[in-house]
Amino acid sequence: MCPVNCSDLTFVSKVQCISMEPKFDEGDLIFVDPEAACIHSSYVVARLDDDNQATFKQLIIENGHKFLKAANPNWPEQLIPINGNCTLVGKVIFTGKSL
């Protein structure tokens, strides 16, 4: 059950890497709503079609270009360009700590 208003398609996922630290820690729970609007600076889950993997990043939209940004300043790949090779799965609408 999601503690905020959400669509029936909302799901929970566990953060599985350190690319979003210090804002989100490995093991945090994120509630993802596929029907929520993904806008500039939203935290999103995206599927990278070339790698057939999902990733959790911040969506950046500047001058008509879209990028996925890691929150961790030490993460090697800070910006991943979105150029038709990515599907936005949904917007993170709530986070919680796993105990």
Side-chain angles (χ1 to χ4, degrees), residues 38-85:
C38 296
I39 58 172
H40 174 71
S41 78
S42 295
Y43 292 99
V44 299
V45 171
R47 186 177 66 243
L48 301 174
D49 300 331
D50 296 340
D51 297 334
N52 198 26
Q53 294 183 48
T55 189
F56 167 46
K57 299 285 187 278
Q58 185 176 28
L59 177 64
I60 303 297
I61 304 171
E62 289 184 356
N63 299 322
H65 300 283
K66 295 181 181 178
F67 303 90
L68 297 174
K69 181 181 179 198
N72 185 336
N74 298 318
W75 194 250
E77 197 172 10
Q78 278 293 299
L79 289 175
I80 301 169
I82 298 176
N83 54 9
N85 62 340

